Amino acid sequence: MFGDDVLEFAGSVGDSIGVSSDVVLAILCVIFVLVLIVLIVLLNTLLAKFNVTQFDPRDSKCIVIAGPSVRNDEEAPGKTTLFFLLKNKCIPKYGIVSSLDTSEAVVLSPVWKLDHSTSVPITVIDVPGAPSAQVELEKALAKASAVIFVIDSRKSSFDAHRRDYARVLYNILTHSVVSQWGTPTLLLCNKQDAKDALVPSKIQTALEQELQRERASRQSALKEISDNETLHSQSVDVPASLGFADEVFEMSHVNGPVECVGCSLKNNQLEPIYTFVLSHVVTNLSSMKKNK
Ligand SMILES: Nc1nc2c(ncn2[C@@H]2O[C@H](COP(=O)(O)OP(=O)(O)OP(=O)(O)O)[C@@H](O)[C@H]2O)c(=O)[nH]1
Ligand SMILES: [Mg+2]
């Protein structure tokens, strides 16, 4: 068999170089182990280089509420308002102040039913929009199975903060886990009750244009850095880019589904959120259960 062939081979090599077959066998074993180690290291390097994760790291029952923070509380998009509405079905009487910390709650809704029977508990995380919460946001996005990006639709507010919206949305859509696993994202155009509220389709188009600008400015900054680094012959880690470099950016170029809907949280309009979570989170749980 194969073992006999190896012994015979070790014997003949041993005879020809004047050592015992045991020594040849020991040398062959060492070479085999070394080759194995080199192969494992090479495979690991390749997987890390192409950012390949073998398993989905996301929590299948977790959604994240995100969006920028603004200086003026009146113009805050309404992330925490949404969080309280989902959690308590009402907004606190004492009002809401700008968030400093991440909040988390397990929410049950009669709409989020698995196979028309059991209500599925969903963990909702409200991450403050302040730049100091960037690390918190990255951690939350790494486990989110859906993201709700909240926007103040009022023209005056949206026009004043559209660059902030694009910057934060760009970071979300190019987050390594979100882009690799195609995490579904809902662009929630809140405050539709206001007279000057922009319709969701207008907001989506404006964000697409702004994201394209953001992409161009990041790419030119990156090129400058990489030119400098090349001069000093160091390698640069290239962050994920959004969409296709040579095409005008559209939300449909994003790896995961992106939906854009309007609502007024002030008027308790939670249907668009319930529907989104039902079709992108709860329905997936149902198919995961069937595949078990
Ligand atoms: N007109 C109107 N105002 C709303 C609506 N939803 C929320 N607001 C108001 O908009 C503001 C939103 O505040 P928050 O919910 O704290 O906003 P946030 O996104 O959590 O802000 P940060 O925590 O600072 O990042 C509050 O003053 C709400 O009363 C809405 O549907 N219509
Ligand atoms: Mg808040």
Side-chain angles (χ1 to χ4, degrees), residues 18 43 45 48 73 76-77 84-85 106 125 130 142 144 189 200 212 229 231 243 284:
L43 198 69
T45 318
D73 277 358
F84 276 116
L85 279 177
V106 175
I125 305 178
C189 305
Q212 166 134 345
E229 296 290 326
L231 276 180
N284 280 353

Side-chain angles (χ1 to χ4, degrees), residues 58-165:
R58 299 172 302 166
D59 176 344
S60 56
K61 292 181 187 171
C62 171
I63 60 172
V64 166
I65 304 174
S69 212
V70 295
R71 278 210 195 127
N72 179 351
D73 277 358
E74 277 287 291
E75 290 179 353
K79 300 183 290 297
T80 306
T81 307
L82 173 60
F83 177 76
F84 276 116
L85 279 177
L86 289 173
K87 185 180 161 215
N88 305 334
K89 316 288 174 264
C90 62
I91 300 165
K93 279 194 198 110
Y94 50 82
I96 299 173
V97 291
S98 185
S99 314
L100 295 174
D101 297 312
T102 298
S103 308
E104 190 170 322
V106 175
V107 171
L108 273 170
S109 154
V111 185
W112 297 337
K113 279 193 173 169
L114 204 58
D115 304 330
H116 310 288
S117 54
T118 352
S119 263
V120 183
I122 300 285
T123 304
V124 180
I125 305 178
D126 168 26
V127 188
S132 56
Q134 180 61 27
V135 176
E136 290 287 299
L137 179 62
E138 296 206 357
K139 271 201 273 174
L141 290 174
K143 55 181 175 178
S145 46
V147 178
I148 301 176
F149 184 79
V150 190
I151 300 159
D152 183 342
S153 308
R154 292 171 309 165
K155 188 173 182 333
S156 49
S157 168
F158 182 74
D159 283 348
H161 303 290
R162 54 199 283 168
R163 291 200 69 176
D164 293 324
Y165 281 115

Side-chain angles (χ1 to χ4, degrees), residues 204-223:
Q204 173 164 339
T205 309
L207 281 176
E208 284 172 338
Q209 289 166 353
E210 213 57 63
L211 284 169
Q212 166 134 345
R213 265 182 226 130
E214 184 71 22
R215 180 175 70 185
S217 80
R218 288 188 192 210
Q219 276 169 351
S220 68
L222 201 65
K223 189 173 178 313

